Amino acid sequence: MKQSHDVIVVGAGPAGATLAYELAKRGIGVLVLEKEKLPRYKCCAGGVTSKAAKLLDFDISEVTEDVIHEVSFTFNLGSPYLGQDSQPLIYTVMRDAFDYFLVQKAQQLGAVLMDGQKVTQVQVSADWVEISTADNVFRSRLVVGADGAYSVVARELGMGKSIGYAAGIESEIVVPEEELAKWKSRVQIDLGCIPGGYAWVFPKRNHLSIGVGCQASKTRDLHAHHQKFLNSLSIDNYTVTKSSSHLIPTCTKGRIVWQDKALLLGDAAGLADPLTGEGIYNAILSAQLAAPVIEDSLVRGKVGLQDYQEIVERKIMSELKMARTLSKIFVRFPHLAFGMFNQSEGVWRAVCNLMFGEIDYTAIKGRVGEFKGIFNRLFRA
Ligand SMILES: Cc1cc2nc3c(=O)[nH]c(=O)nc-3n(C[C@H](O)[C@H](O)[C@H](O)COP(=O)(O)OP(=O)(O)OC[C@H]3O[C@@H](n4cnc5c(N)ncnc54)[C@H](O)[C@@H]3O)c2cc1C
């Protein structure tokens, strides 16, 4: 017999878990289908920016590994620019614990989780959506694809167009305690050691997450760049406990994120930031934008989910467009991008305010004259 639900969410990452939480809060029946058994590892640096944490209406300290107050920017591992702030800039998390924590918040409000259920087929008819896994067929009034970069929902419904990709490698690295202590509350971002991207060190409670990421078109030597970065950190005696790579999808112009009975969220919609690769913020935000649209449709009888497209374009895609423009400049002139930090304290303040969510890329556009002046000075030099 087919199980019926109001909404089926495919994927229990930050996007799917947040939508389940928001729908359950509104009294809407929601089933989350997740292919892995939870908690599951996710290839990610695990940086939850302050602005991302602020979106949630609960505290995440239970699953926070470290609180970051300092960013050490380097260019090709040269002398660092140290940016600091007394406010938390980033919370580092392990995604198995963080994502499961979000799912549990949804379950506490009545959302149902079925893990170990890999969705293989999605079929939309006039009245229902039918969603198949290896052992079950489910029915729902709406389906939401929150199933990440390789979204089966997007593929099944022919919604996989207008996406560009970055790619990243992430290693979980156990280091001696004295080494770990050096990284407390500090992340490192290196521009220049990999073309078209950057490398990072994110400290966790008992280890370091070290990775590199770049535009997918430039990934030929991703592993070699990762190893080179690791070697250059001069960490004696380390153990790699996990190493994996994954795509980071960023949408391009014309991306459609809805159909009559379907929506896409987070990475499935291609909403990661093309400049930084940050995807958790927009995963959570897209879920929070989707919830009232779904409520309008299911509870108030409003036909269609197209309002979601409009609000995602206004609140997220316009920002991604700005980020893409900045990313093109930084990819082409990474040394100048790095050089800007030493030219004006305003550059670091702008980065902090972006992480706090106090300004967005559109606000940066308003200050373009100021930043262009610095950039041109560096360019001439
Ligand atoms: C190397 C790397 C480093 C990154 N670092 C950061 C960072 O520091 N900060 C940041 O904000 N972002 C980072 N990102 C991006 C971030 O990981 C993603 O943008 C974010 O996970 C998107 O969340 P999501 O919920 O949309 O998708 P996901 O987190 O990918 O969740 C999708 C879920 O769907 C499940 N699923 C997939 N297919 C199916 C199926 N067929 N049936 C059922 N379930 C399915 C998956 O198992 C998964 O649990 C990084 C990405 C990479 C690759």
Side-chain angles (χ1 to χ4, degrees), residues 10-15 33-36 40 42-47 95 117-119 146-148 152 168-170 200 202 246 248 266-267 277-280 283:
V10 182
L33 297 175
E34 164 59 49
K35 74 172 175 178
E36 306 289 342
R40 58 93 184 90
K42 162 84 177 86
C43 170
C44 181
R95 289 288 304 277
Q117 295 286 326
K118 181 176 179 177
V119 170
D147 47 345
V152 72
I169 295 188
E170 169 69 39
W200 62 82
F202 275 36
H246 207 273
I248 306 172
D267 274 11
E278 177 183 12
I280 296 170

Side-chain angles (χ1 to χ4, degrees), residues 188-247:
Q188 178 167 351
I189 304 285
D190 185 84
L191 301 171
C193 86
I194 175 164
Y198 67 92
W200 62 82
V201 181
F202 275 36
K204 304 292 165 70
R205 199 172 297 136
N206 298 316
H207 73 277
L208 301 174
S209 291
I210 300 182
V212 294
C214 68
Q215 291 176 338
S217 57
K218 297 191 162 63
T219 51
R220 220 159 29 102
D221 300 321
L222 204 56
H223 281 93
H225 285 297
H226 182 255
Q227 193 56 50
K228 189 181 99 190
F229 180 59
L230 199 50
N231 295 345
S232 62
L233 292 169
S234 310
I235 301 173
D236 304 324
N237 182 16
Y238 62 81
T239 311
V240 180
T241 56
K242 187 122 195 153
S243 194
S244 56
S245 56
H246 207 273
L247 289 177

Side-chain angles (χ1 to χ4, degrees), residues 46-115:
V48 178
T49 52
S50 181
K51 69 174 180 174
K54 279 182 203 161
L55 287 176
L56 300 168
D57 59 10
F58 47 81
D59 180 56
I60 61 163
S61 49
E62 200 180 307
V63 284
T64 297
E65 299 263 323
D66 199 357
V67 182
I68 304 303
H69 289 275
E70 181 174 288
V71 183
S72 167
F73 287 101
T74 50
F75 181 73
N76 248 335
L77 292 141
S79 317
Y81 172 87
L82 289 182
Q84 291 162 330
D85 201 280
S86 57
Q87 300 292 315
L89 297 161
I90 299 170
Y91 303 89
T92 66
V93 299
M94 286 308 291
R95 289 288 304 277
D96 50 358
F98 177 71
D99 292 12
Y100 194 40
F101 176 74
L102 298 185
V103 172
Q104 286 172 317
K105 288 280 175 194
Q107 285 177 299
Q108 282 157 18
L109 297 186
V112 178
L113 166 75
M114 287 180 73
D115 56 1

Side-chain angles (χ1 to χ4, degrees), residues 278-304:
E278 177 183 12
I280 296 170
Y281 175 74
N282 280 337
I284 295 171
L285 179 60
S286 59
Q288 292 178 339
L289 297 175
V293 176
I294 292 174
E295 185 179 27
D296 276 349
S297 167
L298 293 185
V299 180
R300 304 199 185 95
K302 188 167 179 191
V303 180

Side-chain angles (χ1 to χ4, degrees), residues 133-148:
T133 65
D135 355 283
N136 287 300
V137 180
F138 302 88
R139 259 185 179 177
S140 63
R141 294 165 71 190
L142 300 176
V143 64
V144 179
D147 47 345

